[in-house]
Amino acid sequence: MDFQGFKKAVIAKCEALGIADYELYYQSAESTSVSAFQHSIHQFTSSIEGGVCFRCIWNGKMGYASTEALSEAEASAVVERAVDNASVLEAEEQVFLGEGGKTYQALPEETREMPATDALIAKVLETQEQIYQADAAVVDGSSTQGIAERSETAIFNSRGLDLYSQGVLTGLVVAAVVTDGKEKTNDYQIKLAPIEDIDTEELTKKAAQTALSKLGGEVAPTGQYPVVFDPEAMSDLLSAFSGIFSSEAAQKGLSKLAGQEGKVIAGENITLIDDPFWKDAPMKRNFDAEGSPVYTKKVVENGKLNTLLYNLKTAAVAGKETTGNASKAGYAASVGISPFTFYLQPGDITEEELLQAAGNGVYINSLSGLHAGADAISGDFSLQSAGFMIENGEKTTAVKSFTVAGNFYELLGSIRSIASNLEMPGMGRFGAPSVLVDGLSVAGK
Amino acid sequence: MISRELCQRVLQKAVSTGADYAEIFAENTNNHNVFMIAGKVDSVKDTVVAGAAVRVYKGLRSVMATTVDTSESGLLRCAEKAADALGQGEAQIDIVLKERLFGDIHPVREVPSSVTNARKVEILKEGYFAAKEYDTAIQQVTGNLLDVDHNILIATSEGLYTQDRQIRTRIAVSAVADKGDGAQTGSCNPGRRMGLEMFDFIQPKNVGIHAAKQALTMAGAGYCPAGVMSVAIDNGFGGVIFHEACGHSLEASSVAYGRSQFAGKLGEKIANEKVTAIDDGTIANSWGSINIDDEGTPSQRNVLIEKGVLKSYMVDKFNGRRMGMPSTGNARRQSYAYTPTSRMTNTFIAPGEDKNEDIIASIEYGLYAKEMGGGSVNPVTGEFNFSVNEGYMIRNGKICEPVRGASLVGKGSEVIRNIDMVGTDLDMGQGMCGSSSGSVPTNVGQPLIRVSTITVGGR
């Protein structure tokens, strides 16, 4: 059974049970992944996945149930399960379904096709050879993965919403393993873009050179230093702590930003922007997970918190309008809140000037263990790091196996300078330029 | 689920272009989760995950195709896609399937789907309010009661046709305390490979109290000082140190590709002789246990390191080909949508002979890590990190004041040489381990151990 047939069966069941307010959220994806090891393709995956999340308002509560099995029997079961699940809920906040008839920012029509499998394989094999050519220190263990995915999302509800969006996502993941004969080290680079547009020579060189720079690294000496986070490290920090901008976290006492709207929460040099239409965003959609129109906003402007991020429920609690930031981590998840493309506005000095300003300190280009070592509630972080020492304004010795510790709320007020080199690494959802922060604790040898 | 006869035809189609091995993995899983926050039941979710994957191998190449359409035509199309992607050739194998039952050593008395939402809410509330009402400094509590009913079917070109049902239950309570100098979190998340009878053994109330106490302790604590020191790591979830520092680097997914610090080291002494480490998926009702792995190989007890000497890797069929080693029953996948690879089950450092009091007394200045949080590792270099959820300073052989914000970093190959005292009381903790084949339930475990020297991150 396809989604349309399933939808009809669900509507019939809702009518039979007298459920007036309901919604179907459908997501499906068709994807191909190709991986090369040594000089040939060793893994190939072609998947079709997708499912439906049904939710309905039952006695004032929102019941959820989801399924991947689109059949007549499941259409009926999913409605019954959602009602059963709603019947034990106690939360008193009013619940909402998105209303139809809203105006959405026009997006250019998605015309991209999935790349042909042969073309994807050829690109992966060619890239894999380039890794070996990037440097003599590159060894087996290096790999290239090509990914292509067509996904579609539909929201249909009893309040007149009937939205659809589709998109194609393609990219390459390059992993370089290098050795100096004594030890091995590695680096990953991800680039999401149309396959034919990816500069694979640049990508493989970057992976190999970054891996090489970690060879022979020393453990940094323990102490308090000015720290420069590169765009990737700063984006990772922003990503780990982005949850503090959620109004839901604030309303539940899980963010210190509760009650801070309109107040200064960061240095004057800090402007944080949420832009659903960021030019290079790998996927753009003009509606959020509740079907509300999305728009670009300055969440923090020159240090002042303009707004938290809202969905329909939290906006109603606060007596505000939704900011169109309803999100779902997968089709089956309940509606939460997150930014789209969230980034720190760049400054106007170069990274070299930033290093000069730092004088002596530590340059961090890699942070690990953010899921464990960053506590969004207190803002505290203590994270495995790697990078370089900064001496007299220049990057010198490679350093690794140390931690950098601080507090994100405090860090927002202690960023001394911001460079102009904005990047959106990895999946492209969070971005930052290099920043210079005073007085962070480094634990090493 | 899918009949033996249909599986036979699907596999025959899968090997039609010359594959030397083919496999069907089908699943029907129900995930259920009750969530509480702010004193109220906030959401109840349940999700049916249903689909199938067909994999084929030819030499060192593998192809997988997945589908949510498990009808006859859907499965045959999926097999055809896999066969086509493998290339051109002719069938080399005749598929004849025989049903085999491996048995189930994990009895379940209360299957989650037969327990009402109301009863689940009652259990969760007992844990939730035990935390919430423990102290006025507790500002917020969240609670989850999760259950999973995971039904799998595996058929392979070697003739295997089998099914397994894996039921798991877990409660998780997180408490946030603030005594005026910053909010701190405490948590407790026990889980078992059993049904709701889990709560006959684990009192939800104690789960809540544990979380609240930890939050309160940390809320009153100062920051952990940074530096290199001796660390005593307690039993239970403390075993995450072996899991991260060493376990991931012993998985075939790293070893087979030369992406492991321990590749080519079988039979060599890689750890302190006090260290014996085991991966055992056969412990009855244990969180990380499996009857069979996701390639249909029975789970087994694998001694990974014996008295410091590397004895075994954790191997799945596909990566085992490259290594010239048989499967050790460690192939796992979150769902049909993920390509399975070698993963851990219940992994622990075996009990030693050191007394707990001797371990603490031996440390002049260091950290006592009573409870660990999560971590991660780069298997290529062995560089790992994890956070300490509840830590205390040790001075002159005595446990002193609590400290917050500590993390441990180091290199796996060095830290397992530095585990120089191993206590007697083994205990396990439950986690969800994330890797290329998705998120799978794993136990970590150890007795109290001493790491003679390691970098402690703090400020």
Side-chain angles (χ1 to χ4, degrees):
Chain A
M1 180 178 256
D2 66 3
F3 174 60
Q4 293 308 326
F6 188 81
K7 186 167 95 179
K8 269 191 203 133
V10 165
I11 293 170
K13 179 73 179 182
C14 287
E15 279 168 1
L17 291 182
I19 299 170
D21 293 308
Y22 58 87
E23 182 171 283
L24 287 155
Y25 183 98
Y26 171 70
Q27 209 166 45
S28 85
E30 180 192 341
S31 62
T32 305
S33 154
V34 183
S35 304
F37 175 69
Q38 291 172 336
H39 305 283
S40 53
I41 300 294
H42 78 120
Q43 283 198 328
F44 179 95
T45 308
S46 164
S47 0
I48 297 173
E49 51 187 319
V52 174
C53 179
F54 172 80
R55 54 182 192 149
C56 65
I57 300 175
W58 182 261
N59 291 335
K61 312 292 182 198
M62 188 75 82
Y64 281 82
S66 305
T67 190
E68 291 184 352
L70 303 192
S71 65
E72 193 84 29
E74 266 294 283
S76 179
V78 90
V79 176
E80 283 168 7
R81 278 165 29 219
V83 167
D84 185 41
N85 291 339
S87 65
V88 292
L89 300 185
E90 301 168 332
E92 282 152 9
E93 295 102 329
Q94 205 182 336
V95 291
F96 300 89
L97 292 175
E99 302 284 338
K102 296 266 168 41
T103 309
Y104 299 88
Q105 181 164 329
L107 279 174
E109 200 187 336
E110 174 65 75
T111 53
R112 280 167 55 196
E113 297 288 333
M114 285 278 275
T117 302
D118 290 350
L120 189 63
I121 288 174
K123 188 76 171 185
V124 166
L125 286 173
E126 179 195 329
T127 311
Q128 179 73 358
E129 291 311 315
Q130 286 173 347
I131 304 181
Y132 284 95
Q133 286 154 18
D135 197 281
V138 171
V139 292
D140 287 350
S142 302
S143 63
T144 305
Q145 187 186 12
I147 46 173
E149 177 178 291
R150 170 189 292 287
S151 63
E152 49 179 3
T153 305
I155 307 179
F156 172 87
N157 76 18
S158 56
R159 317 283 297 188
L161 267 191
D162 193 357
L163 299 166
Y164 177 81
S165 148
Q166 59 148 353
V168 171
L169 181 87
T170 55
L172 289 177
V173 184
V174 166
V177 179
V178 298
T179 185
D180 56 4
K182 293 195 290 282
E183 59 170 339
K184 270 186 189 174
T185 179
N186 63 326
D187 183 65
Y188 294 87
Q189 294 291 329
I190 300 173
K191 183 71 187 173
L192 298 179
I195 293 292
E196 61 279 10
D197 295 354
I198 299 177
D199 183 340
T200 53
E201 207 172 317
E202 186 192 315
L203 196 65
T204 50
K205 281 230 165 80
K206 187 166 183 199
Q209 275 159 13
T210 310
L212 278 169
S213 71
K214 298 176 189 167
L215 274 178
E218 293 171 13
V219 177
T222 301
Q224 298 265 336
Y225 296 94
V227 168
V228 172
F229 290 104
D230 87 337
E232 187 170 335
M234 189 58 202
S235 301
D236 283 348
L237 265 188
L238 190 58
S239 162
F241 287 102
S242 64
I244 67 172
F245 296 98
S246 154
S247 55
E248 181 137 47
Q251 288 171 6
K252 304 284 185 192
L254 300 176
S255 166
K256 280 191 182 175
L257 298 182
Q260 298 296 305
E261 282 165 300
K263 295 182 186 161
V264 172
I265 60 145
E268 225 186 355
N269 54 355
I270 303 294
T271 294
L272 290 168
I273 299 168
D274 177 37
D275 183 359
F277 306 109
W278 174 254
K279 59 184 172 53
D280 297 325
M283 289 276 217
K284 294 189 190 76
R285 227 169 53 188
N286 54 13
F287 56 90
D288 73 2
E290 292 175 322
S292 302
V294 300
Y295 60 93
T296 301
K297 64 201 81 74
K298 288 181 176 168
V299 178
V300 175
E301 188 171 10
N302 303 327
K304 190 182 80 173
L305 180 64
N306 280 342
T307 182
L308 292 167
L309 304 176
Y310 291 90
N311 61 15
L312 290 170
K313 184 173 86 175
T314 62
V317 170
K320 297 186 177 209
E321 293 289 314
T322 176
T323 56
N325 285 95
S327 71
K328 265 172 173 283
Y331 75 92
S334 40
V335 171
I337 292 176
S338 71
F340 291 88
T341 299
F342 196 46
Y343 68 96
L344 173 62
Q345 185 170 283
D348 48 20
I349 59 170
T350 64
E351 192 184 68
E352 289 68 37
E353 289 166 324
L354 197 74
L355 288 167
Q356 286 296 327
N360 294 301
V362 181
Y363 181 91
I364 293 176
N365 60 12
S366 166
L367 292 173
S368 306
L370 287 120
H371 65 293
D375 178 359
I377 296 169
S378 65
D380 287 339
F381 59 86
S382 176
L383 296 164
Q384 182 192 343
S385 312
F388 299 90
M389 294 308 292
I390 306 170
E391 290 165 77
N392 301 318
E394 307 269 343
K395 282 192 252 177
T396 56
T397 327
V399 285
K400 61 185 179 186
S401 286
F402 64 94
T403 65
V404 62
N407 181 285
F408 189 75
Y409 293 101
E410 290 166 19
L411 182 139
L412 287 175
S414 56
I415 294 180
R416 199 199 317 165
S417 327
I418 302 176
S420 56
N421 56 340
L422 174 65
E423 283 180 38
M424 305 277 178
M427 298 304 290
R429 285 199 48 218
F430 295 90
S434 297
V435 301
L436 167 59
V437 186
D438 280 320
L440 290 178
S441 297
V442 165
K445 63 185 176 195
Chain B
M1 287 215 262
I2 306 163
S3 75
R4 185 170 57 92
E5 190 276 328
L6 177 55
C7 281
Q8 207 157 294
R9 279 191 288 135
V10 172
L11 287 172
Q12 200 65 61
K13 172 70 85 183
V15 300
S16 61
T17 57
D20 58 48
Y21 181 84
E23 168 200 272
I24 301 171
F25 177 94
E27 95 174 272
N28 194 303
T29 299
N30 202 316
N31 294 298
H32 193 87
N33 180 15
V34 183
F35 173 66
M36 286 186 70
I37 188 168
K40 309 274 186 198
V41 179
D42 191 77
S43 73
V44 178
K45 274 183 301 177
D46 62 53
T47 307
V48 172
V49 176
V54 174
R55 272 202 310 165
V56 291
Y57 305 162
K58 189 171 186 179
L60 298 178
R61 266 192 311 149
S62 87
V63 172
M64 181 175 89
T66 75
T67 181
V68 283
D69 180 0
T70 53
S71 68
E72 177 169 343
S73 61
L75 289 168
L76 286 167
R77 257 202 312 278
C78 186
E80 189 173 2
K81 218 180 199 182
D84 286 352
L86 194 68
Q88 289 178 344
E90 304 217 327
Q92 309 289 331
I93 325 173
D94 265 334
I95 311 287
V96 183
L97 295 180
K98 265 195 203 136
E99 181 160 13
R100 181 166 172 184
L101 296 172
F102 291 93
D104 191 339
I105 60 161
H106 312 287
V108 173
R109 213 170 62 227
E110 288 184 70
V111 173
S113 59
S114 63
V115 177
T116 61
N117 267 330
R119 172 70 188 134
K120 290 176 187 173
V121 164
E122 197 182 326
I123 291 167
L124 180 57
K125 279 189 172 172
E126 187 189 327
Y128 186 95
F129 286 108
K132 183 97 181 154
E133 289 160 3
Y134 189 78
D135 191 286
T136 50
I138 301 289
Q139 315 252 303
Q140 182 59 283
V141 177
T142 58
N144 284 282
L145 184 70
L146 304 104
D147 57 73
V148 180
D149 190 340
H150 183 54
N151 295 276
I152 62 171
L153 176 150
I154 298 164
T156 75
S157 57
E158 289 167 347
L160 178 69
Y161 175 88
T162 192
Q163 300 193 41
D164 193 31
R165 184 169 181 185
Q166 305 169 353
I167 289 174
R168 292 190 171 82
T169 305
R170 191 179 198 192
I171 185 171
V173 177
S174 236
V176 179
D178 197 335
K179 294 178 178 172
D181 64 343
Q184 290 289 305
T185 308
S187 57
C188 187
N189 340 289
R192 293 290 180 271
R193 194 190 191 303
M194 50 172 77
L196 274 294
E197 75 275 17
M198 167 183 157
F199 299 105
D200 296 347
F201 310 98
I202 292 166
Q203 302 301 314
K205 188 177 73 189
N206 294 342
V207 174
I209 290 172
H210 186 109
K213 274 187 176 167
Q214 190 174 76
L216 286 167
T217 303
M218 288 299 99
Y223 283 102
C224 180
V228 177
M229 51 186 97
S230 293
V231 177
I233 303 173
D234 215 337
N235 65 8
F237 201 74
V240 70
I241 188 167
F242 183 82
H243 176 103
E244 298 296 354
C246 200
H248 278 295
S249 304
L250 296 176
E251 293 169 340
S253 41
S254 299
V255 179
Y257 302 94
R259 288 195 285 256
S260 163
Q261 53 181 334
F262 300 122
K265 298 237 158 92
L266 274 185
E268 288 180 31
K269 188 161 182 289
I270 60 162
N272 192 291
E273 60 205 19
K274 294 237 180 178
V275 176
T276 290
I278 294 162
D279 181 76
D280 186 355
T282 70
I283 305 169
N285 294 114
S286 206
W287 179 246
S289 292
I290 45 180
N291 290 309
I292 52 170
D293 76 0
D294 292 331
E295 291 174 329
T297 307
S299 180
Q300 57 190 52
R301 180 176 196 271
N302 298 305
V303 176
L304 305 172
I305 296 172
E306 190 173 13
K307 294 183 177 156
V309 176
L310 180 59
K311 292 288 182 185
S312 175
Y313 298 118
M314 289 170 277
V315 186
D316 60 288
K317 282 183 182 169
F318 177 63
N319 292 313
R321 288 184 164 206
R322 200 176 280 280
M323 297 163 75
M325 290 180 191
S327 166
T328 55
N330 285 92
R332 303 186 73 185
R333 66 203 310 176
Q334 178 182 326
S335 76
Y336 71 94
Y338 292 81
T339 305
T341 190
S342 50
R343 304 289 296 272
M344 288 175 260
T345 59
N346 305 299
T347 315
F348 55 91
I349 296 178
E353 289 171 353
D354 293 303
K355 290 201 183 81
N356 284 1
E357 51 270 32
D358 292 347
I359 295 175
I360 301 296
S362 74
I363 299 173
E364 203 173 310
Y365 175 77
L367 180 72
Y368 165 55
K370 185 160 188 270
E371 276 200 32
M372 303 295 296
S376 67
V377 68
N378 175 352
V380 175
T381 59
E383 286 158 357
F384 65 79
N385 65 81
F386 30 68
S387 62
V388 180
N389 282 356
E390 185 176 347
Y392 300 80
M393 294 313 294
I394 301 178
R395 279 191 211 85
N396 303 320
K398 294 206 166 56
I399 295 171
C400 303
E401 77 282 1
V403 284
R404 67 166 71 160
S407 59
L408 304 180
V409 298
K411 207 167 163 174
S413 56
E414 286 166 15
V415 82
I416 53 168
R417 288 178 192 279
N418 294 339
I419 297 175
D420 61 353
M421 292 180 92
V422 176
T424 53
D425 303 332
L426 171 66
D427 189 23
M428 306 238 198
Q430 289 76 54
M432 292 301 294
C433 170
S435 187
S436 70
S437 67
S439 174
V440 299
T442 55
N443 252 352
V444 299
Q446 64 176 32
L448 177 70
I449 61 165
R450 181 177 89 161
V451 183
S452 57
T453 167
I454 190 168
T455 300
V456 177
R459 52 169 153 159

